[in-house]
Amino acid sequence: MDMNCEQAQQELLDYLSKELPAEEQTRVEAHLAHCAGCQEELQALRQVWHTLGAVPVPEPSENLRPAFYSMLAAYKEEEAAKPTFSLTGIWEKMQAWLVPGSALRLAYGLGLLVMGLVAGYWLNSSPKAVAPATADQQQLAALTSQVEQMRQVMLLSLIENPSATERLRAVSYTKELSGANDRVVDALLSTLNHDENVNVRLATLEALAQLAHEPNVRLGLVKALKNQDSPLVQSALADVMVQLQERRSVQPLRRLLNQPGLNKAVKSKIEESLKNLSNGRPAAPSTTEPYHETDYTPQPADPAGTAV
Amino acid sequence: MLRVKAGDVDRMGLLFERYHRKLFGFLYHMLGRADTSEDLVQTVFYRMLKYRHTYTADGEFRTWMYHLARNVLADHIKKNRHSTHHADVADFAEKIGGGTQADESLQREQEVATLHQALSHLSAENREVLILSRFQELKYGEIARVLNTTEGAVKVRVHRAMNELKTIYLRIEN
């Protein structure tokens, strides 16, 4: 099938630069063979195309190469000065911003500030009114409960934080809570059982011990006994059990005692605790040094809470 | 380039040696000024280092390089809207175009100069595709990737540019 002039001229450039598939190439040639007009066109095109190829490009000057290498060296220095510059570095920074931590704390602080201002305004603006006295109190009660709720939210968010310091802070919020709801208790118990940092677990245990008047907390603590592998937490938990005179803990403590590879100091500690529990004696704060930290601490017991 | 991306910044030297002439040629044809083109070559390589994380293995390095070069060029033109372009080319063309010698090599030189001049009269858009396909020897597919368009569109544009160039060339010559 022959092509017409229009089709052929569209292909002429590709014909020149040999971009055409073989089949098209022959078709263009077949057309050119009997079309003087297109031959002329091809000739003109060829002249321009080839001349275009001959248009000279000056050599870049001598300065370009040294300039490039000094730029490269400068860039490397700059890079070395801030090694955090990388895609992962930026990502981590963004995560630190997005994930709880500073943003949440900021929101918490702002929330408290606003509430303080509102409360202050309320107290100041209506001192003369007689009736508002009770209204004020109601308002204050409402505000207090809101602060309480915010603390709970803070605690629940921070306790998931990858930084141990943040988790410790989360646990410390329980001290400011008058009572803990189920979600908070669940979160604390889960931290006690699963957190990888010993300091965080110890702080959580302390916080939970203060909430031990709640039956579900007591039960959770008894159950937590079997989950602990750190001697520090085992000992502390045994202490709490004695303090609470929690008789349900006798079974799990005995089982713990039979565990192979149990730390010696912990063993004697538990034996003592069991004796106390069966005697029904109120707990005496342990005066002796039942264990020595450096002997077996699996992780550094840094009170500041090393970030894990 | 993948090794550069992975942090082996020294490898950039290799890429520089291999591509800086081509890149310089592209910028020179687009701007018509050698000194500015050198500065921009430098800028393009700097951006390669800085934005190396945007390089993906599936794209060809050349394509990526021209992509960056176009951005650098666009920034440069935006910044220097008032300065004159193609000063070198015009001077060059005038100097040679003035001669009347019948000598064959000179005549050829004159043709080339005229074409060079014609090239500088093309719209930047058309000049770009011609440079990429004729001087940088990129395939239509590669040009399409540089310009973020389709192969068909590139083909049409190259043809149009070629016809425009031919017209300008013939007009100057006569």
Side-chain angles (χ1 to χ4, degrees):
Chain A
M1 181 170 52
D2 199 11
M3 40 168 62
N4 58 31
C5 286
E6 201 188 323
Q7 287 173 330
Q9 286 185 9
Q10 287 210 332
E11 305 295 345
L12 281 183
L13 185 61
D14 294 342
Y15 174 76
L16 260 184
S17 50
K18 299 191 171 62
E19 284 227 14
L20 282 182
E23 186 195 332
E24 287 289 295
Q25 187 98 358
T26 25
R27 287 180 67 204
V28 173
E29 272 165 8
H31 177 84
L32 282 171
H34 62 77
C35 179
C38 285
Q39 276 177 30
E40 216 169 280
E41 180 70 27
L42 176 68
Q43 203 48 43
L45 209 55
R46 179 177 285 147
Q47 197 197 349
V48 173
W49 187 251
H50 282 272
T51 313
L52 193 58
V55 169
V57 180
E59 280 286 299
S61 77
E62 295 289 300
N63 302 330
L64 187 56
R65 182 169 284 112
F68 166 76
Y69 283 104
S70 66
M71 182 272 282
L72 186 60
Y75 185 85
K76 269 161 65 183
E77 256 169 50
E78 196 182 308
E79 189 106 309
K82 41 167 188 172
T84 46
F85 177 78
S86 71
L87 206 56
T88 49
I90 291 171
W91 176 237
E92 273 164 21
K93 264 182 220 163
M94 272 171 64
Q95 268 192 325
W97 256 101
L98 295 176
V99 173
S102 44
L104 253 179
R105 226 174 303 140
L106 188 70
Y108 176 59
L110 280 178
L112 280 181
L113 182 69
V114 169
M115 280 173 192
L117 285 175
V118 170
Y121 179 77
W122 245 97
L123 291 173
N124 268 340
S125 63
S126 52
K128 286 174 202 151
V130 189
T134 49
D136 278 356
Q137 273 165 6
Q138 278 173 5
Q139 193 80 5
L140 266 178
L143 280 173
T144 318
S145 83
Q146 277 179 32
V147 171
E148 191 99 322
Q149 275 174 15
M150 280 188 67
R151 283 202 184 112
Q152 287 195 7
V153 172
M154 276 296 283
L155 181 146
L156 289 170
S157 328
L158 278 179
I159 213 159
E160 305 280 334
N161 198 287
S163 150
T165 322
E166 295 297 336
R167 296 200 300 274
L168 276 174
R169 190 195 306 277
V171 171
S172 73
Y173 279 123
T174 42
K175 292 199 187 103
E176 295 165 36
L177 292 175
S178 52
N181 66 14
D182 288 346
R183 282 184 64 198
V184 171
V185 169
D186 283 349
L188 287 172
L189 284 173
S190 159
T191 303
L192 177 63
N193 288 328
H194 305 298
D195 200 288
E196 63 208 15
N197 186 297
V198 176
N199 293 320
V200 174
R201 291 206 299 266
L202 283 172
T204 312
L205 177 60
E206 197 184 321
L208 280 167
Q210 283 169 1
L211 298 169
H213 49 89
E214 310 250 357
N216 55 343
V217 175
R218 283 178 91 106
L219 189 61
L221 285 173
V222 172
K223 283 183 180 162
L225 265 171
K226 63 176 188 301
N227 293 326
Q228 300 304 327
D229 48 6
S230 151
L232 280 175
V233 184
Q234 285 169 342
S235 299
L237 202 50
D239 269 343
V240 172
M241 288 301 139
V242 173
Q243 258 167 35
L244 296 175
Q245 283 298 303
E246 180 54 69
R247 302 200 57 90
R248 279 178 297 181
S249 68
V250 171
Q251 275 298 327
L253 278 174
R254 288 227 170 92
R255 233 171 279 145
L256 199 57
L257 211 53
N258 294 329
Q259 238 175 44
L262 187 72
N263 184 286
K264 262 186 219 156
V266 176
K267 197 172 176 176
S268 62
K269 173 88 190 171
I270 289 177
E271 276 163 353
E272 196 185 325
S273 305
L274 281 171
K275 219 187 289 165
N276 275 340
L277 281 168
S278 53
N279 288 347
R281 245 199 298 151
S286 51
T287 43
T288 50
E289 193 75 33
Y291 50 85
H292 203 271
E293 278 186 17
T294 46
D295 281 344
Y296 52 80
T297 8
Q299 293 166 60
D302 177 4
T306 15
V308 190
Chain B
M1 185 60 211
L2 283 176
R3 302 183 65 158
V4 174
K5 187 182 176 181
D8 190 355
V9 174
D10 283 321
R11 290 259 155 187
M12 206 58 179
L14 214 67
L15 291 169
F16 173 82
E17 295 302 340
R18 200 176 295 165
Y19 290 106
H20 80 271
R21 266 165 223 270
K22 280 272 176 202
L23 185 59
F24 176 77
F26 171 71
L27 293 167
Y28 175 76
H29 279 306
M30 289 305 287
L31 287 170
R33 299 186 59 98
D35 51 349
T36 319
S37 301
E38 273 184 27
D39 291 347
L40 295 190
V41 167
Q42 185 85 325
T43 313
V44 172
F45 275 99
Y46 178 74
R47 286 205 191 172
M48 282 180 196
L49 285 171
K50 200 169 162 197
Y51 300 114
R52 58 177 185 271
H53 60 266
T54 67
Y55 178 74
T56 48
D58 51 304
E60 215 203 313
F61 172 74
R62 276 207 299 180
T63 321
W64 187 61
M65 177 178 81
Y66 287 119
H67 200 86
L68 289 179
R70 288 185 79 233
N71 290 339
V72 168
L73 203 58
D75 289 353
H76 171 79
I77 289 170
K78 216 183 286 172
K79 238 185 285 169
N80 303 284
R81 197 162 283 167
H82 303 298
S83 67
T84 51
H85 296 303
H86 304 292
D88 294 4
V89 178
D91 291 352
F92 182 57
E94 235 165 68
K95 258 184 252 157
I96 297 168
T100 49
Q101 289 90 338
D103 190 51
E104 205 174 297
S105 71
L106 257 181
Q107 197 191 333
R108 175 75 180 148
E109 228 172 277
Q110 194 177 331
E111 270 174 28
V112 171
T114 311
L115 194 70
H116 201 171
Q117 204 182 349
L119 191 62
S120 70
H121 281 95
L122 276 185
S123 69
E125 213 185 35
N126 283 344
R127 189 163 65 237
E128 186 173 51
V129 286
L130 273 191
I131 293 168
L132 288 175
S133 75
R134 187 66 182 110
F135 295 101
Q136 315 295 322
E137 284 151 358
L138 260 62
K139 301 268 175 235
Y140 290 156
E142 292 174 296
I143 299 177
R145 258 172 277 137
V146 174
L147 306 181
N148 276 332
T149 177
T150 62
E151 208 173 319
V154 171
K155 193 173 166 176
V156 169
R157 206 186 283 175
V158 171
H159 280 257
R160 203 179 294 154
M162 209 43 203
N163 281 327
E164 196 189 335
L165 181 68
K166 206 173 63 190
T167 315
I168 298 173
Y169 175 72
L170 293 174
R171 202 176 55 215
I172 299 176
E173 213 180 30
N174 299 326

